[in-house]
Amino acid sequence: MNIQAEWMRGGTSKCWIFESDHVEQTGISLDLLLPRIFGSPDSRQIDGVGGATSTTSKAIILTPSTEAGVDVEYTFAQVGIEEAVVDWGSNCGNCSAVVGLYAIKQRWVAPTDEITRVVTRNTNTGQIIVQRVDTPNGALPIVPQAQMPGVATPGYKVGLGFLDPAGKTTGTLLPTGNASDELKVAGRSWKVSMVDAGAPVVVIRAEDLSLNTNDYDSWMSAVELQLPLLDQVRREAAVRMGLAATPEQAARAIPKLAIAAAPGVESANDINVMMLSMGKPHPALAITGSIALSLGARTAGTVLHAIVGDAPRATLRLRTPAGVIETFSEERDGSLLIGADRTARSIASSIIHLPESLGSDAGVKLHSASRAGA
Amino acid sequence: MNIQAEWMRGGTSKCWIFESDHVEQTGISLDLLLPRIFGSPDSRQIDGVGGATSTTSKAIILTPSTEAGVDVEYTFAQVGIEEAVVDWGSNCGNCSAVVGLYAIKQRWVAPTDEITRVVTRNTNTGQIIVQRVDTPNGALPIVPQAQMPGVATPGYKVGLGFLDPAGKTTGTLLPTGNASDELKVAGRSWKVSMVDAGAPVVVIRAEDLSLNTNDYDSWMSAVELQLPLLDQVRREAAVRMGLAATPEQAARAIPKLAIAAAPGVESANDINVMMLSMGKPHPALAITGSIALSLGARTAGTVLHAIVGDAPRATLRLRTPAGVIETFSEERDGSLLIGADRTARSIASSIIHLPESLGSDAGVKLHSASRAGA
């Protein structure tokens, strides 16, 4: 059996892209088909296309959308490695970044102007993500040259804009009703902002920790020493945001905690930031976290707004240990689009072979005569 | 730039197969091209086809041979991960197993009879490897069903026969001139055989270690406790084989050490074996090690011959912790072919894309119109 697929890098992940038609033609459930294609269950995924790590055992299934105003509908699949299972429970901000690019390459969407907008719906979450693909002179660049933190080589620039991302978890952007609050933790008072956009995040001020925020090495070291204290703050915020009944019951992953600082006077950046994820400093920012920070910064009264000020900004430069992440905001037809840039590219166009007769044609064919060469 | 390649599993490795013509057309040195294709330097190889482990960062470059009596010439490349380098210094017995299969699929060699012989030359070592590909009824099976230790899923059966493998390192099969020798190590006497075929190996008897060789768990545990002693034996053998001037100067990888035992009376296997590689018990056998054991077993006077006896055997079943490995021997036109079986299959037929203009055509094309679908 042969299945056409595109192997693409999206952000800092590798993702296998399947068109819905192609996988449906196999007549096999994706919960069976994807693990077999990826080589699972096997800690090395040695007999399949999986890369034996969580960031390289991912798939996107997509199709042109029949929904008005939506170009592409896509579903993210986290394919198990040691278990032959597929987790459909969440979206992936990295793999999402390939969808607009794929749609343009397949001519599902014609490139227009300098930036081509591809409206996508992620079916895992229901979220509309408007992808802004750089198409200078109305076409994808011959040689893509966009860079991003965490990837050494260039790709096509793709902005992932989350449509009206506020309150998806708690129902409102500011779950406490306030742009900032005082928390009492460990006998100290903390001025924080609790924001729900993309994901729930509690933002604290680096000055409350007396951090040297111009040097990320010392910042990281100081934070490492204060992780238990920071987790106490995070758990207190969970209660205030209505995410947990008591600090002890707070989930490990929600809310996330971000430490924010004003950049140096001569810096081109808007906010210096360090995000904690699952109790540890994150080298950069998950896209959901960058959206919470961006919408927080637009909101008067937050600790982020105190850093960036009142001037409206179409883009925001967030400095992280791994580099600068640029986010964008735009209002349009009464909706707010907040997003961040990624890079993406196709690594290989492939026909994946499965040896056993899961379907009708179990032979392995090379198709060399009908395919373009080097 | 687009480069056609086949992604194949050979034995317990994943290998990218390139035809020489296709990579030569790029006009780029393989030492530059392969690391870029694989996504190196990057510990995650996130922007390329590499799998970020030594067994998944491998390539084969092959071409029909112009040498009389040789069908295919191939070169193995171990592609660096954190460094953008290629190691051309050795062959890989796992990746080698894809070459005959590829040649049949490309119709470079027509399948004949039950087993199709593809004569290959590995250019890293100069070794002729005759590949015996199972082709029942004169064709590759529609659904390949061969199994091997270490791989959960089936593939095509490929026997890799090394032509006249004796003495490639030391010049002779028995470098000490004897089929077996007594070594004095740690105040004890060890009856060993030192064999150079495929690779130099010193074979010791499990009975000299008082091992329970019917249960690999206890065998493994007992060996773990005696590793320093076994390394002393190995180093003494290095001196006796002319591979080192003193035990201290012996290389860590050469010779390998194998512990051999007679199987139980009712066993279908011929030898129970445990190989030590780089100072640790190996779950199975490198193909070079299995060749040394097989040729050693054919040689009167060795500790292996004492186990298997005089009856000529076309095949030998070597039981390892991971399962049984079958080797074969045949004499033909005055030459000796010794080999072992692997399984191999194609995972995907691909067109690999490189974003930057290393060559003339830097665009990324999907070729969907010209390729077969699911």
Side-chain angles (χ1 to χ4, degrees):
Chain A
M1 182 163 52
N2 298 318
I3 301 166
Q4 186 176 333
E6 194 76 10
W7 198 13
M8 300 180 79
R9 175 179 65 75
T12 52
S13 291
K14 285 200 268 197
C15 321
W16 280 92
I17 318 306
F18 300 89
E19 295 185 21
S20 301
D21 280 358
H22 297 160
V23 286
E24 280 164 14
Q25 279 170 23
T26 67
I28 302 163
S29 141
L30 285 167
D31 291 299
L32 294 177
L33 185 65
L34 289 177
R36 183 64 188 86
I37 285 174
F38 275 68
S40 305
D42 171 12
S43 61
R44 302 195 302 144
Q45 291 184 324
I46 205 69
D47 199 41
V49 302
T53 68
S54 64
T55 53
T56 58
S57 190
K58 299 182 168 190
I60 293 273
I61 297 95
L62 46 62
T63 186
S65 178
T66 55
E67 182 181 347
V70 178
D71 298 308
V72 186
E73 182 181 296
Y74 74 95
T75 304
F76 169 71
Q78 181 73 48
V79 181
I81 298 171
E82 306 205 9
E83 289 181 275
V85 296
V86 179
D87 182 351
W88 303 99
S90 58
N91 187 21
C92 168
N94 283 307
C95 289
S96 292
V98 311
V99 175
L101 185 60
Y102 189 92
I104 292 173
K105 288 175 177 299
Q106 293 297 68
R107 302 184 187 281
W108 297 348
V109 174
T112 50
D113 305 329
E114 296 298 294
I115 292 176
T116 300
R117 303 168 73 88
V118 182
V119 181
T120 70
R121 181 183 293 282
N122 170 255
T123 67
N124 306 91
T125 58
Q127 175 77 54
I128 292 282
I129 299 179
V130 179
Q131 308 207 356
R132 309 197 318 180
V133 183
D134 263 28
T135 48
N137 308 311
L140 288 170
I142 302 295
V143 180
Q145 295 186 304
Q147 298 281 355
M148 66 171 280
V151 184
T153 34
Y156 297 92
K157 186 174 176 182
V158 179
L160 293 184
F162 285 57
L163 191 70
D164 294 328
K168 296 286 191 212
T169 304
T170 65
T172 178
L173 174 65
L174 301 171
T176 67
N178 306 314
S180 60
D181 292 89
E182 297 282 334
L183 298 186
K184 303 280 183 198
V185 173
R188 291 159 58 179
S189 177
W190 306 75
K191 183 168 185 184
V192 308
S193 291
M194 291 171 273
V195 178
D196 173 14
V201 175
V202 52
V203 187
I204 71 174
R205 304 183 302 178
E207 61 198 78
D208 288 348
L209 290 163
S210 306
L211 298 173
N212 168 10
T213 57
N214 285 313
D215 168 20
Y216 270 107
D217 283 342
S218 67
W219 183 345
M220 189 82 80
S221 308
V223 166
E224 294 275 6
L225 295 174
Q226 305 195 59
L227 289 176
L229 175 63
L230 292 168
D231 198 52
Q232 275 188 275
V233 175
R234 195 187 66 77
R235 287 173 179 276
E236 180 63 25
V239 175
R240 298 287 284 270
M241 297 173 86
L243 297 166
T246 67
E248 294 70 30
Q249 289 174 6
R252 191 157 168 71
I254 301 176
K256 295 185 194 297
L257 182 141
I259 306 165
V265 178
E266 296 183 14
S267 169
N269 303 317
D270 297 303
I271 305 174
N272 287 359
V273 67
M274 180 174 292
M275 185 75 85
L276 268 60
S277 175
M278 298 298 283
K280 289 183 181 170
H282 191 292
L285 283 175
I287 198 157
T288 50
S290 64
I291 282 163
L293 295 176
S294 300
L295 192 43
R298 288 172 61 96
T299 306
T302 67
V303 299
L304 296 164
H305 190 266
I307 293 172
V308 300
D310 254 334
R313 292 158 193 267
T315 63
L316 201 68
R317 289 172 59 85
L318 303 167
R319 185 172 164 235
T320 75
V324 174
I325 290 170
E326 195 169 293
T327 68
F328 59 86
S329 311
E330 58 177 67
E331 291 179 55
R332 199 158 151 143
D333 304 332
S335 286
L336 183 64
L337 198 66
I338 307 255
D341 290 337
R342 288 283 185 276
T343 67
R345 77 174 190 94
S346 176
I347 293 170
S349 305
S350 296
I351 295 167
I352 297 172
H353 308 297
L354 284 186
E356 66 266 36
S357 60
L358 292 175
S360 58
D361 173 16
V364 178
K365 299 188 182 108
L366 286 169
H367 305 286
S368 60
S370 63
R371 289 167 52 208
Chain B
M1 182 162 51
N2 298 318
I3 301 166
Q4 186 177 333
E6 194 77 9
W7 199 12
M8 300 180 79
R9 175 179 65 75
T12 52
S13 291
K14 284 199 270 198
C15 321
W16 281 92
I17 317 306
F18 300 89
E19 294 186 22
S20 301
D21 280 358
H22 297 159
V23 286
E24 280 164 14
Q25 279 169 23
T26 67
I28 303 163
S29 140
L30 285 167
D31 291 298
L32 294 177
L33 185 65
L34 289 177
R36 183 65 187 86
I37 285 174
F38 275 69
S40 306
D42 171 12
S43 61
R44 302 194 303 142
Q45 292 184 325
I46 205 69
D47 199 40
V49 302
T53 68
S54 64
T55 52
T56 57
S57 190
K58 298 182 169 190
I60 293 272
I61 297 94
L62 45 63
T63 187
S65 177
T66 55
E67 182 181 348
V70 177
D71 299 307
V72 186
E73 182 180 296
Y74 75 96
T75 303
F76 169 70
Q78 181 73 47
V79 181
I81 297 171
E82 306 205 9
E83 288 181 276
V85 296
V86 179
D87 182 351
W88 303 100
S90 57
N91 186 22
C92 168
N94 283 308
C95 289
S96 292
V98 311
V99 176
L101 185 60
Y102 189 92
I104 292 172
K105 287 175 178 299
Q106 292 297 67
R107 302 185 187 282
W108 296 349
V109 174
T112 49
D113 305 330
E114 296 297 295
I115 292 176
T116 300
R117 303 168 72 88
V118 182
V119 181
T120 70
R121 181 183 292 282
N122 170 255
T123 68
N124 306 90
T125 58
Q127 174 78 55
I128 292 282
I129 298 179
V130 179
Q131 308 208 355
R132 309 196 319 181
V133 183
D134 262 28
T135 48
N137 308 311
L140 288 170
I142 302 295
V143 180
Q145 295 185 305
Q147 298 281 354
M148 66 171 280
V151 183
T153 33
Y156 297 91
K157 186 174 176 182
V158 180
L160 293 184
F162 285 57
L163 191 69
D164 293 330
K168 296 287 191 212
T169 303
T170 65
T172 178
L173 174 66
L174 301 171
T176 68
N178 306 314
S180 60
D181 292 89
E182 297 281 335
L183 298 186
K184 303 281 182 195
V185 173
R188 290 158 59 178
S189 176
W190 304 77
K191 184 169 185 183
V192 309
S193 291
M194 291 171 273
V195 178
D196 173 14
V201 175
V202 52
V203 188
I204 71 174
R205 304 183 301 177
E207 61 197 77
D208 288 348
L209 290 163
S210 306
L211 297 173
N212 168 10
T213 56
N214 285 313
D215 167 20
Y216 269 107
D217 284 340
S218 67
W219 182 345
M220 189 82 79
S221 308
V223 165
E224 294 274 6
L225 295 175
Q226 304 196 57
L227 289 176
L229 174 63
L230 292 168
D231 198 53
Q232 274 189 277
V233 175
R234 196 187 65 77
R235 288 173 179 277
E236 179 64 25
V239 175
R240 299 287 284 269
M241 297 173 86
L243 297 166
T246 67
E248 294 71 29
Q249 289 173 7
R252 192 156 167 73
I254 301 176
K256 295 184 194 298
L257 182 141
I259 307 166
V265 178
E266 296 183 14
S267 170
N269 303 317
D270 297 304
I271 305 174
N272 288 359
V273 67
M274 180 174 293
M275 184 75 84
L276 269 60
S277 176
M278 299 298 283
K280 290 182 181 169
H282 191 292
L285 283 175
I287 198 158
T288 49
S290 64
I291 283 163
L293 295 175
S294 301
L295 191 43
R298 289 172 60 97
T299 306
T302 67
V303 298
L304 296 164
H305 190 266
I307 293 172
V308 300
D310 254 334
R313 292 159 193 265
T315 63
L316 201 68
R317 289 172 59 86
L318 303 167
R319 185 173 163 233
T320 75
V324 174
I325 291 170
E326 194 168 293
T327 68
F328 58 86
S329 311
E330 58 176 68
E331 290 179 56
R332 197 155 152 147
D333 304 332
S335 286
L336 182 65
L337 198 66
I338 308 254
D341 289 337
R342 288 283 184 275
T343 68
R345 77 174 189 94
S346 177
I347 294 170
S349 305
S350 296
I351 295 167
I352 296 172
H353 308 298
L354 283 186
E356 67 265 35
S357 60
L358 291 175
S360 57
D361 173 16
V364 178
K365 299 190 182 107
L366 286 169
H367 305 285
S368 60
S370 63
R371 290 166 51 208

